[in-house]
């Protein structure tokens, strides 16, 4: 095979299925034959033209599972046939100030697969070796893919909190991130409160491992958390700053609100809620490749898996629409190599 197929996008939502020439990976890179690729809300950066040069085509997709197919010069730790993953951060440079301090997620020279570089809506992806994640064979490609971005985002957000086992931890939102967040929080040994809009989501929350369900459409979620004794940590996944504002009052003293949901509007916060009790609001940005290996190992050991809607590679533009509709339960995954057929 000397060519491969890719769905590239130009401007805004102009998808095009193209044939590309297969090339040897450059220095420090590997070539990966893609098995599956999750469709994530951050794909808007590529598909809606929210990137530096939208007139230049790019292949979206950053929840990639595949098999190493060719190895570039300077790569020593990967071999042909290795099962690998690639997430939102495409591999640290190991040279910038933040890398030298060991803060790899803040590397200033890191490719973003599916935004700055071609991603996984394709049969082939080229990846920087430092961004690769070892994917256990026991995880199917369509299960592993959403764990590489949605999964590690909530897993690392929970790990970043100082909440001890048994503490009350809340997960706000029960979508793509939240339905995983409740599972992780439960398996990490927390007493879990799930917060979402509507009484009908209670059953789902409980089935995912929540101990309490708070309907934020019916009651003030901050007051409800306070009534449960206050949360040591809250992971906020909803794409709304306004919906996060009342949560701060539901934190215990020294409690942390960890923000992972990107919202167009700001969080309004009462200064007294921060000062009295020393509460904090922090952001958390996905995780590094090795964080993702921790995440996959933990997910496998604890039977954590995303609920997915699988679609064929040829349906990539439709899969993106489906994700954007907000109706998907809960992550859309492209089965690029037909492993589920
Ligand atoms: Zn993502
Ligand atoms: Zn760096």
């Amino acid at each position: 095979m000397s060519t491969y197929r890719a769905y590239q996008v130009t401007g805004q939502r102009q998808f095009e299925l193209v044939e590309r020439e297969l090339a040897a990976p450059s220095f420090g890179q590997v070539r990966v034959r893609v098995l599956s690729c999750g469709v994530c809300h951050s794909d808007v950066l590529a598909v809606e033209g929210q990137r530096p040069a939208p007139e230049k085509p790019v292949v979206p997709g950053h929840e990639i599972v595949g098999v190493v197919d060719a190895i570039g010069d300077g790569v020593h730790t990967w071999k042909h046939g290795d099962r690998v993953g690639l997430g939102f951060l495409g591999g640290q440079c190991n040279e910038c100030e933040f890398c030298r301090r060991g803060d790899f997620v803040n590397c200033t020279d890191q490719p973003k697969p599916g935004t700055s570089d071609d991603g996984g809506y394709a049969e082939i992806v080229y990846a920087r070796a430092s961004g690769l994640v070892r994917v256990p064979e026991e995880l199917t490609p369509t299960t592993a893919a959403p764990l590489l971005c949605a999964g590690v985002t909530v897993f690392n957000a929970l790990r970043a909190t100082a909440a001890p086992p048994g503490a009350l931890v809340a997960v706000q939102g029960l979508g793509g991130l939240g339905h995983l967040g409740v599972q992780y929080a439960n398996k990490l040994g927390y007493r879990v409160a799930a917060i979402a809009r509507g009484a009908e989501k209670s059953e789902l929350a409980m089935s995912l491992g929540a101990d309490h369900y708070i309907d934020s459409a019916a009651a003030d979620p901050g007051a409800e958390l306070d009534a449960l004794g206050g949360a040591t940590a809250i992971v906020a996944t909803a794409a709304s700053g306004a919906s996060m504002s009342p949560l701060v009052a539901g934190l215990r003293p020294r409690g942390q609100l960890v923000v992972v949901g990107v919202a167009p509007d700001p969080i309004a916060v009462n200064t007294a809620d921060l000062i009295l009790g020393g509460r904090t609001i922090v952001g958390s940005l996905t995780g590094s490749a090795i964080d993702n290996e921790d995440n996959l190992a933990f997910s496998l050991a604890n039977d954590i898996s995303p609920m997915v809607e699988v679609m064929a590679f040829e349906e990539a533009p439709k899969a993106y629409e489906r994700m954007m509709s907000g109706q998907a339960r809960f992550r859309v995954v492209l089965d690029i190599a037909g492993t589920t057929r």
Side-chain angles (χ1 to χ4, degrees):
M1 213 172 91
S2 64
T3 62
Y4 66 95
R5 294 180 304 158
Y7 259 110
Q8 64 181 35
V9 69
T10 318
Q12 204 179 358
R13 291 202 189 197
Q14 292 169 48
F15 277 104
E16 189 187 3
L17 183 59
V18 294
E19 281 289 306
R20 293 194 176 181
E21 292 291 322
L22 208 58
S26 7
F27 186 90
Q29 284 197 330
V30 300
R31 190 174 71 200
V32 175
R33 191 157 294 280
V34 181
L35 298 173
S36 67
C37 182
V39 179
C40 176
H41 193 268
S42 301
D43 293 351
V44 297
L45 298 173
V47 181
E48 308 297 335
Q50 297 168 15
R51 56 195 174 96
E55 70 283 358
K56 215 176 123 244
V58 72
V59 178
H62 60 260
E63 291 183 345
I64 304 163
V65 176
V67 176
V68 173
D69 178 59
I71 293 163
D73 289 339
V75 177
H76 309 292
T77 47
W78 302 95
K79 59 180 196 308
H80 187 272
D82 280 349
R83 199 141 177 269
V84 293
L86 190 65
F88 185 74
L89 299 175
Q92 74 272 7
C93 75
N94 290 322
E95 290 180 359
C96 74
E97 183 197 333
F98 295 95
C99 282
R100 292 173 67 203
R101 294 184 190 281
D103 184 6
F104 301 127
V105 297
N106 287 311
C107 170
T108 55
D109 177 24
Q110 176 146 234
K112 307 275 192 313
T115 307
S116 70
D117 291 45
D118 287 330
Y121 290 19
E123 291 169 324
I124 291 285
V125 70
Y126 298 86
R128 190 185 264 183
S130 63
L132 293 179
V133 178
R134 287 195 193 278
V135 177
E137 294 288 341
E138 297 92 326
L139 288 171
T140 66
T142 50
T143 295
L147 295 176
L148 293 166
C149 176
V152 76
T153 294
V154 283
F155 177 68
N156 259 10
L158 286 162
R159 287 206 300 182
T161 73
L168 179 69
V169 166
V171 176
Q172 179 229 20
L174 268 182
L177 293 174
H179 90 290
L180 287 166
V182 172
Q183 296 181 60
Y184 285 111
N186 169 253
K187 296 297 166 94
L188 285 163
Y190 298 128
R191 185 158 64 96
V192 185
I195 305 168
R197 294 180 66 82
E200 72 284 358
K201 292 193 183 127
S202 168
E203 203 176 319
L204 168 72
M206 297 301 174
S207 74
L208 295 169
D211 301 287
H212 308 279
Y213 178 73
I214 296 170
D215 174 4
S216 58
D220 177 337
E224 294 292 306
L225 287 174
D226 192 49
L228 292 171
T232 300
I234 304 171
V235 175
T237 75
S240 155
S243 74
M244 296 177 193
S245 298
L247 300 176
V248 180
L251 289 169
R252 281 165 69 85
R254 303 284 169 204
Q256 296 169 291
L257 175 65
V258 188
V259 178
V260 294
V262 179
D265 60 320
I267 299 171
V269 56
N270 212 327
T271 52
D273 286 338
L274 293 182
I275 297 165
L276 303 172
R279 298 175 179 85
T280 52
I281 302 176
V282 293
S284 181
L285 172 65
T286 172
S288 65
I290 196 74
D291 289 334
N292 236 329
E293 292 186 12
D294 293 347
N295 162 46
L296 295 183
F298 185 82
S299 300
L300 187 60
N302 291 284
D303 260 330
I304 291 168
S305 58
M307 296 180 177
V308 297
E309 294 183 3
V310 176
M311 295 174 78
F313 171 55
E314 293 75 13
E315 299 178 294
K318 219 174 100 189
Y320 176 80
E321 296 288 340
R322 176 71 182 156
M323 178 278 296
M324 289 298 279
S325 75
Q327 301 300 307
R329 288 174 65 89
F330 286 88
R331 299 293 286 188
V332 179
V333 183
L334 293 172
D335 178 10
I336 307 275
T339 57
T340 62
R341 262 175 267 158

XYZ file of all heavy atoms in Angstrom, residues 216-267:
336
model
N -29.413 19.760 39.569
C -29.118 21.189 39.687
C -30.203 22.069 39.067
O -30.171 23.291 39.224
C -27.756 21.505 39.061
O -27.752 21.120 37.700
N -31.159 21.437 38.373
C -32.295 22.207 37.851
C -33.349 22.402 38.942
O -34.164 23.319 38.882
C -32.907 21.494 36.647
N -33.325 21.533 39.949
C -34.358 21.569 40.994
C -33.866 22.220 42.283
O -34.663 22.705 43.080
C -34.845 20.146 41.284
N -32.546 22.211 42.508
C -32.021 22.749 43.772
C -30.652 23.361 43.546
O -29.980 23.050 42.550
C -31.919 21.612 44.798
N -30.227 24.236 44.459
C -28.898 24.854 44.383
C -27.846 23.786 44.711
O -27.808 23.264 45.835
C -28.833 26.006 45.403
C -27.454 26.664 45.444
O -26.457 26.019 45.065
O -27.385 27.835 45.863
N -26.999 23.431 43.746
C -26.059 22.323 43.991
C -25.053 22.623 45.104
O -24.613 21.694 45.795
C -25.362 22.127 42.641
C -25.557 23.409 41.898
C -26.848 23.992 42.386
N -24.705 23.908 45.287
C -23.782 24.263 46.374
C -24.411 23.963 47.726
O -23.782 23.357 48.602
N -25.665 24.358 47.897
C -26.368 24.112 49.163
C -26.570 22.617 49.398
O -26.443 22.123 50.531
C -27.721 24.836 49.149
N -26.844 21.872 48.320
C -27.044 20.417 48.450
C -25.740 19.723 48.884
O -25.766 18.830 49.731
C -27.524 19.817 47.120
C -28.902 20.281 46.681
C -30.015 19.769 47.592
O -30.083 18.545 47.799
O -30.806 20.594 48.099
N -24.612 20.159 48.311
C -23.318 19.584 48.720
C -23.016 19.939 50.167
O -22.529 19.105 50.936
C -22.189 20.088 47.807
C -22.140 19.510 46.395
C -21.061 20.217 45.568
C -21.868 18.002 46.416
N -23.320 21.181 50.519
C -23.097 21.627 51.897
C -23.899 20.766 52.872
O -23.403 20.369 53.931
C -23.479 23.113 52.002
C -23.010 23.706 53.314
O -21.830 23.502 53.652
O -23.829 24.344 54.005
N -25.124 20.435 52.485
C -25.987 19.610 53.339
C -25.429 18.195 53.510
O -25.701 17.522 54.499
C -27.400 19.555 52.753
N -24.620 17.757 52.522
C -23.991 16.425 52.621
C -22.678 16.480 53.401
O -21.957 15.492 53.497
C -23.714 15.861 51.218
C -24.936 15.479 50.372
C -24.511 15.161 48.940
C -25.675 14.286 50.976
N -22.335 17.676 53.895
C -21.098 17.826 54.662
C -20.027 18.620 53.930
O -18.957 18.875 54.465
N -20.305 18.971 52.673
C -19.343 19.731 51.869
C -18.391 18.818 51.126
O -17.968 17.794 51.654
N -18.078 19.194 49.898
C -17.191 18.370 49.064
C -15.738 18.772 49.274
O -15.415 19.954 49.361
C -17.561 18.520 47.591
N -14.859 17.777 49.375
C -13.419 18.051 49.440
C -12.910 18.481 48.069
O -11.990 19.280 47.959
C -12.677 16.783 49.920
O -13.182 16.443 51.218
C -11.178 17.005 50.012
N -13.523 17.938 47.031
C -13.164 18.334 45.667
C -14.379 18.201 44.762
O -15.241 17.346 44.986
C -12.027 17.469 45.135
N -14.436 19.076 43.774
C -15.482 18.999 42.748
C -14.779 19.082 41.393
O -13.972 19.980 41.165
C -16.485 20.173 42.848
C -17.105 20.249 44.253
C -17.568 20.051 41.778
C -17.937 21.519 44.485
N -15.058 18.129 40.530
C -14.543 18.210 39.163
C -15.684 18.697 38.280
O -16.726 18.036 38.167
C -14.011 16.837 38.687
C -13.592 16.910 37.226
C -12.833 16.405 39.551
N -15.500 19.884 37.693
C -16.564 20.516 36.906
C -16.334 20.272 35.424
O -15.315 20.690 34.869
C -16.612 22.008 37.203
N -17.261 19.571 34.786
C -17.087 19.200 33.374
C -18.066 19.904 32.442
O -17.918 19.798 31.225
C -17.256 17.668 33.164
O -18.643 17.329 33.234
C -16.489 16.865 34.202
N -19.081 20.579 32.976
C -20.099 21.180 32.102
C -19.512 22.373 31.350
O -18.662 23.096 31.865
C -21.296 21.611 32.924
N -19.966 22.573 30.117
C -19.435 23.664 29.284
C -20.159 24.976 29.605
O -20.677 25.656 28.731
C -19.587 23.303 27.811
N -20.166 25.333 30.897
C -20.872 26.538 31.319
C -20.256 27.080 32.599
O -20.299 26.418 33.646
C -22.360 26.195 31.544
O -22.954 27.107 32.454
N -19.671 28.273 32.516
C -19.106 28.901 33.703
C -20.185 29.213 34.727
O -19.981 29.028 35.935
N -21.338 29.678 34.245
C -22.440 30.037 35.149
C -22.874 28.838 35.991
O -23.221 28.981 37.166
C -23.620 30.577 34.347
N -22.822 27.632 35.391
C -23.257 26.445 36.137
C -22.226 26.056 37.202
O -22.542 25.315 38.133
C -23.498 25.270 35.186
O -22.267 24.735 34.721
N -20.988 26.538 37.058
C -19.941 26.208 38.042
C -19.953 27.175 39.223
O -19.494 26.824 40.313
C -18.561 26.231 37.379
C -18.392 25.171 36.282
S -16.770 25.310 35.470
C -17.023 24.251 34.034
N -20.466 28.397 39.000
C -20.416 29.430 40.041
C -20.992 28.986 41.383
O -20.354 29.193 42.420
C -21.116 30.696 39.547
O -20.433 31.201 38.420
N -22.187 28.382 41.420
C -22.750 28.021 42.732
C -22.034 26.865 43.430
O -22.284 26.613 44.611
C -24.203 27.631 42.400
C -24.220 27.298 40.968
C -23.104 28.059 40.316
N -21.133 26.165 42.712
C -20.488 24.987 43.302
C -19.497 25.363 44.401
O -19.283 24.586 45.338
C -19.754 24.181 42.217
C -20.623 23.657 41.069
C -19.746 22.959 40.033
C -21.687 22.686 41.599
N -18.881 26.546 44.266
C -17.829 26.945 45.218
C -18.360 26.913 46.656
O -17.656 26.487 47.578
C -17.284 28.350 44.854
C -16.193 28.787 45.829
C -16.738 28.354 43.423
N -19.598 27.313 46.833
C -20.203 27.330 48.173
C -20.447 25.916 48.714
O -20.735 25.747 49.902
C -21.506 28.114 48.151
N -20.313 24.900 47.849
C -20.510 23.516 48.289
C -19.226 22.820 48.685
O -19.228 21.622 48.976
N -18.104 23.591 48.676
C -16.808 23.012 49.066
C -16.595 23.121 50.558
O -16.943 24.121 51.187
C -15.672 23.758 48.358
C -15.501 23.543 46.851
C -14.512 24.567 46.288
C -15.028 22.120 46.548
N -15.959 22.114 51.140
C -15.486 22.190 52.525
C -14.328 23.182 52.593
O -13.720 23.481 51.565
C -14.923 20.829 52.964
C -15.927 19.806 53.342
C -15.271 18.437 53.377
N -14.314 18.313 54.490
C -14.668 17.975 55.737
N -15.929 17.728 56.015
N -13.764 17.864 56.683
N -13.972 23.642 53.792
C -12.748 24.431 53.913
C -11.564 23.672 53.296
O -11.459 22.450 53.451
C -12.577 24.595 55.430
C -13.978 24.574 55.940
C -14.711 23.589 55.061
N -10.709 24.378 52.570
C -9.561 23.842 51.818
C -9.991 23.035 50.598
O -9.166 22.396 49.943
C -8.639 22.976 52.684
C -8.089 23.669 53.906
C -6.986 24.629 53.571
N -6.656 25.478 54.713
C -6.082 26.662 54.617
N -5.786 27.159 53.426
N -5.816 27.378 55.678
N -11.289 23.021 50.305
C -11.779 22.256 49.150
C -11.369 22.889 47.836
O -11.051 24.076 47.756
N -11.340 22.042 46.797
C -10.886 22.503 45.480
C -11.955 22.275 44.413
O -12.510 21.171 44.312
C -9.658 21.705 45.036
C -8.425 21.874 45.898
C -7.390 20.833 45.520
O -7.572 19.634 45.761
N -6.313 21.275 44.910
N -12.200 23.317 43.628
C -13.016 23.160 42.420
C -12.035 23.002 41.260
O -11.247 23.907 40.977
C -13.902 24.391 42.208
C -14.733 24.416 40.915
C -15.783 23.299 40.901
C -15.417 25.767 40.722
N -12.047 21.840 40.618
C -11.128 21.579 39.506
C -11.911 21.688 38.204
O -12.850 20.920 37.959
C -10.469 20.185 39.625
C -9.385 20.022 38.560
C -9.878 19.984 41.014
N -11.531 22.648 37.378
C -12.283 22.948 36.158
C -11.657 22.221 34.970
O -10.471 22.402 34.690
C -12.289 24.476 35.906
C -13.020 24.808 34.614
C -12.924 25.202 37.090
N -12.461 21.408 34.297
C -11.989 20.757 33.067
C -12.925 21.019 31.884
O -12.573 20.729 30.745
C -11.778 19.227 33.241
C -10.639 18.953 34.219
C -13.046 18.525 33.682
N -14.123 21.546 32.148
C -15.069 21.846 31.071
C -14.794 23.232 30.507
O -14.788 24.220 31.237
N -14.513 23.302 29.210
C -14.247 24.594 28.566
C -15.585 25.289 28.312
O -16.474 24.724 27.689
C -13.501 24.399 27.229
C -13.245 25.747 26.561
C -12.195 23.660 27.455
N -15.718 26.515 28.842
C -16.989 27.237 28.751
C -16.791 28.600 28.093
O -15.724 29.205 28.232
C -17.571 27.422 30.149
N -17.788 29.080 27.377
C -17.654 30.401 26.754
C -17.835 31.559 27.738
O -17.422 32.674 27.457
C -18.778 30.406 25.707
C -19.796 29.450 26.230
C -19.055 28.419 27.025
N -18.435 31.282 28.898
C -18.721 32.343 29.873
C -17.893 32.149 31.143
O -17.481 31.036 31.466
C -20.224 32.345 30.222
C -20.659 31.026 30.822
O -20.188 29.966 30.342
O -21.447 31.025 31.784
N -17.631 33.234 31.889
C -16.778 33.125 33.081
C -17.498 32.509 34.296
O -18.726 32.429 34.337
C -16.393 34.569 33.384
C -17.456 35.397 32.769
C -18.016 34.622 31.608
N -16.703 32.092 35.271
C -17.218 31.650 36.568
C -17.279 32.894 37.450
O -16.281 33.599 37.593
C -16.263 30.625 37.221
C -16.114 29.377 36.346
C -16.740 30.235 38.624
C -15.016 28.423 36.830
